[in-house]
Amino acid sequence: MMLPDRIFMRLLRLPYVRTRMLIMLLSLVMFVPLADQLLWRYVYGFINDLSPGTWLIFFVWLGFPDAFNFWVREELAFKRRLILCLGMLCFYVLALGAIPFDPYAYGFQPWIILFGLTAWVAWHGRNAAGITLLLGIDLAVYALHGLASDNLWDYLFDPVMMIVLAISLIRPLMSRRKIRSQS
Amino acid sequence: MLKRWFPMMVFAVGLLAAIFTATLPERPQFGQPDQATAALAATKAAALPASFAWADLPRPTPSAHAATLAEVLPGTRLPVDRTEQDLEPVHLVAAWFGGSREGAADVSLYQADWHANASWLPAREIMTRQQAERELGRNIRKLGNPLIVTEPGRLHLFFVSVSYGGWAGSAINRSTSTDGGKFWQPSQRIVTSPFFNLSTLVRNPGTWLSDGSLGLPVYHEFVTKHGEWLRLDPEGRVLAKERMPMPRATLQPAVVALDGQNAVAALRDAGPGENQVQWSETHDAGRSWQAGSARTIPNPNSAVAMIGLRDGSLLMAGNPIGGNRNQLSLLRSTDQGSTWTLVRVVEQSPNDRDEFSYPALIQDRTGAIHLVYTWLRKGIRHARFTQAWLNNPGNPTVPAVPQ
């Protein structure tokens, strides 16, 4: 008969179990009281509401990598991730006032954005089922007014998503650099 | 098959729902009283004799700053000539932030009430940092500028809070009261910036639009400093946002609507070098703003307040001296802000370190003008005067500064 500690050690060797335990641990840490309130409130004070897309990324990336396997068979290509990340960076730079043009203002009456998303999905939606699904969820949450924001942009992406994308670019960039230096 | 088309179906449902709920507000137009009402209000204001009086608001804390002032209006829109309304004494509410010093963790928002022919009632703490943390569900490091905006039967309290960093990390929050400021509803955060909702602050009152929405001048301090214009629906949802592009760093726009489509904004000059009151204009009720040439009024990087008086002139309060805030004056323009004349010095001190700043102006329904301002950072002072007092600048009143 296998002892419980051995079962535990065997389970711990499974990568998904390890990841999920890490998530549980991190989640519990968020409820640790610090000064007069929970740690979560300090984190929330900084990051504010996360977009539905970021929650899904965390969901898939940290614990349930197979959840959307039917529609997403491979991760987003490096170039597309790079373009998305740079696009978000440009958006934030403009929204913070680099020039008089403010793209964020278009999210309060988002007709142009809705038209653009529809056109993109009509053109490319079948080949990018994962992103189409994500956009559909974003729009549904926007319609339900699921976040504090009244701006559609805040439902499509957020700075945390940009940071996650940037982190995901580091390893491919490093390996490309290594290959170049070897050749 | 169904599974393959599932993403498209989700997108279609999401899109339809978004189309049904996305805002499509009316073309904006500034709310203006009808001609007869405006004429009657102008006559009443002009008939008030010249007078000036000042009083100190209660001082519950060692430091106080950034006062706002609003008149509590009855619940229904009554014509300005109604006798019953005249018989009710004017009720003003002022709010400011106070504590041991600006930015300290013990800073709270305070409110005091004033009824005509009476003194200020004791101050009440209406928002503490801990209360804001509870209501907003996040840590709050400090509280900042409050702003009360009035409409018949309801007061709106906007206030600045910071979770991390300095004032550039501010966000604005909103609460309402339907009983003249006795009880404030739990506050809610307004999201105005995509980058961690950083850096939107409020200072000067807004302008009601004809569809019941509120045009609210705000400003941004992170990376760049500029004025912004928010359009909020009656429940505080953001309908639109516009920047006030300026060639220099500017803060704290004070906006006055001239008619249904035109409005002017005076802005604090936060740029380097010689500072002057900056100017911006809209000709489409806030849908776009154009930079005007700076007014030849010195501005030592300090807040200005501006209102339109019943006689059609504009009244501005500020510190029109270079470098310091030790003189608070009133300036008037009879040509919609093109030229300004200094009409009264409200308070001044020979000591450069003294501060009479952050003015807030209103003209109540009887025509009396009220000014509140930060007095030496120790308290808030209230000056009450009439148009006739402004028209006769022969004997400027300068209250002595107690040592």
Side-chain angles (χ1 to χ4, degrees):
Chain A
M1 194 178 147
M2 202 177 280
L3 293 170
D5 61 327
R6 290 204 179 165
I7 298 172
F8 180 73
M9 291 309 289
R10 281 198 175 183
L11 273 172
L12 214 58
R13 281 189 207 113
L14 296 171
Y16 293 164
V17 174
R18 268 210 307 263
T19 314
R20 282 168 197 173
M21 284 184 71
L22 187 70
I23 293 165
M24 278 178 67
L25 200 68
L26 277 172
S27 309
L28 287 174
V29 168
M30 290 293 165
F31 292 97
V32 169
L34 196 69
D36 53 349
Q37 52 189 330
L38 305 178
L39 179 62
W40 167 246
R41 291 195 164 190
Y42 291 92
V43 176
Y44 185 53
F46 182 71
I47 61 171
N48 292 279
D49 284 339
L50 294 177
S51 65
T54 305
W55 282 114
L56 279 179
I57 287 174
F58 284 144
F59 179 78
V60 170
W61 194 30
L62 295 179
F64 304 91
D66 306 327
F68 298 94
N69 257 6
F70 184 82
W71 301 290
V72 188
R73 290 195 178 81
E74 53 192 31
E75 64 177 23
L76 204 60
F78 172 80
K79 269 188 186 168
R80 286 188 181 178
R81 266 183 289 160
L82 185 67
I83 289 167
L84 272 176
C85 189
L86 289 176
M88 288 179 197
L89 185 67
C90 288
F91 175 84
Y92 289 125
V93 169
L94 293 176
L96 288 172
I99 59 169
F101 172 69
D102 180 10
Y104 186 64
Y106 290 90
F108 289 112
Q109 292 166 42
W111 304 104
I112 295 173
I113 305 169
L114 289 175
F115 180 79
L117 291 178
T118 309
W120 185 86
V121 168
W123 172 58
H124 207 61
R126 280 195 68 189
N127 301 327
I131 294 178
T132 305
L133 183 64
L134 185 60
L135 289 175
I137 293 168
D138 289 344
L139 293 179
V141 177
Y142 169 76
L144 294 169
H145 206 67
L147 310 179
S149 174
D150 305 309
N151 192 304
L152 180 57
W153 287 119
D154 292 323
Y155 292 79
L156 298 179
F157 58 90
D158 57 61
V160 174
M161 189 190 278
M162 183 184 73
I163 293 164
V164 168
L165 270 175
I167 291 169
S168 79
L169 293 172
I170 293 172
R171 193 179 285 178
L173 274 174
M174 296 292 277
S175 57
R176 281 178 183 215
R177 221 173 132 185
K178 204 171 168 184
I179 291 165
R180 262 187 213 160
S181 64
Q182 280 170 347
S183 60
Chain B
M1 185 69 177
L2 188 69
K3 220 170 175 182
R4 184 179 289 178
W5 284 96
F6 182 69
M8 284 293 201
M9 282 154 56
V10 170
F11 181 81
V13 171
L15 181 67
L16 282 174
I19 287 170
F20 279 113
T21 51
T23 54
L24 188 61
E26 284 177 29
R27 190 184 165 86
Q29 184 164 344
F30 293 118
Q32 294 288 315
D34 62 75
Q35 277 190 334
T37 308
L40 195 61
T43 311
K44 280 171 66 178
L48 291 176
S51 70
F52 178 92
W54 61 265
D56 282 325
L57 273 69
R59 289 184 196 162
T61 54
S63 168
H65 191 41
T68 176
L69 188 65
E71 182 182 1
V72 178
L73 297 173
T76 50
R77 280 184 198 278
L78 295 171
V80 77
D81 60 337
R82 278 286 289 271
T83 322
E84 303 95 302
Q85 200 179 354
D86 283 345
L87 288 174
E88 281 176 26
V90 168
H91 176 192
L92 303 183
V93 286
W96 66 94
F97 70 78
S100 55
R101 61 176 168 79
E102 179 181 341
D106 64 358
V107 164
S108 298
L109 303 186
Y110 290 87
Q111 177 192 320
D113 292 53
W114 180 86
H115 295 272
N117 309 318
S119 55
W120 283 90
L121 294 173
R124 290 188 296 123
E125 200 174 36
I126 54 168
M127 181 63 65
T128 64
R129 191 176 60 82
Q130 290 79 6
Q131 185 186 344
E133 283 182 335
R134 278 195 305 276
E135 292 179 0
L136 301 168
R138 68 189 65 221
N139 76 304
I140 300 290
R141 190 168 162 243
K142 58 185 177 183
L143 296 177
N145 300 349
L147 169 71
I148 298 180
V149 180
T150 189
E151 70 170 316
R154 192 154 69 148
L155 294 173
H156 301 250
L157 170 69
F158 298 92
F159 65 93
V160 166
S161 67
V162 179
S163 289
Y164 292 97
W167 292 125
S170 299
I172 51 175
N173 313 286
R174 173 184 170 272
S175 175
T176 55
S177 170
T178 52
D179 57 5
K182 287 183 193 136
F183 173 77
W184 292 96
Q185 295 287 336
S187 47
Q188 292 177 322
R189 202 168 186 78
I190 300 178
V191 181
T192 51
S193 163
F195 195 72
F196 301 120
N197 197 24
L198 280 184
S199 203
T200 305
L201 299 91
V202 71
R203 167 65 198 143
N204 283 311
T207 304
W208 291 101
L209 291 117
S210 57
D211 66 349
S213 59
L214 173 67
L216 188 67
V218 296
Y219 57 104
H220 175 101
E221 279 199 27
F222 184 63
V223 184
T224 61
K225 293 180 178 178
H226 57 259
E228 290 177 336
W229 177 254
L230 293 180
R231 188 176 170 196
L232 306 174
D233 78 1
E235 301 317 311
R237 264 187 93 178
V238 184
L239 300 174
K241 181 186 173 193
E242 284 300 327
R243 244 173 230 168
M244 293 179 173
M246 301 294 289
R248 288 172 66 83
T250 51
L251 299 169
Q252 300 171 339
V255 174
V256 174
L258 304 173
D259 54 41
Q261 292 296 310
N262 296 295
V264 290
L267 296 105
R268 168 178 169 175
D269 187 345
E274 207 169 285
N275 293 20
Q276 293 179 316
V277 171
Q278 298 295 315
W279 199 254
S280 184
E281 295 176 355
T282 177
H283 306 291
D284 51 12
R287 288 199 298 169
S288 64
W289 291 83
Q290 293 83 43
S293 54
R295 297 312 184 237
T296 52
I297 306 167
N299 177 259
N301 194 357
S302 68
V304 294
M306 183 169 70
I307 56 168
L309 295 179
R310 303 275 154 75
D311 64 1
S313 64
L314 297 179
L315 182 68
M316 185 191 291
N319 308 112
I321 49 171
N324 301 301
R325 298 175 175 182
N326 56 333
Q327 186 200 82
L328 182 72
S329 299
L330 295 169
L331 300 101
R332 205 169 180 190
S333 170
T334 52
D335 53 8
Q336 302 192 332
S338 298
T339 57
W340 290 86
T341 311
L342 194 150
V343 287
R344 292 281 185 172
V345 175
V346 177
E347 187 149 352
Q348 66 182 352
S349 160
N351 187 346
D352 286 349
R353 283 180 298 177
D354 285 346
E355 180 176 336
F356 313 109
S357 63
Y358 271 62
L361 279 167
I362 63 163
Q363 187 168 27
D364 70 28
R365 63 172 187 266
T366 66
I369 304 162
H370 302 267
L371 165 72
V372 289
Y373 56 96
T374 297
W375 187 80
L376 302 179
R377 292 265 176 167
K378 292 176 183 169
I380 305 298
R381 186 164 275 187
H382 171 213
R384 182 163 45 96
F385 48 91
T386 58
Q387 282 178 194
W389 179 77
L390 287 173
N391 293 336
N392 178 24
N395 183 22
T397 303
V398 182
V401 180
Q403 296 301 308

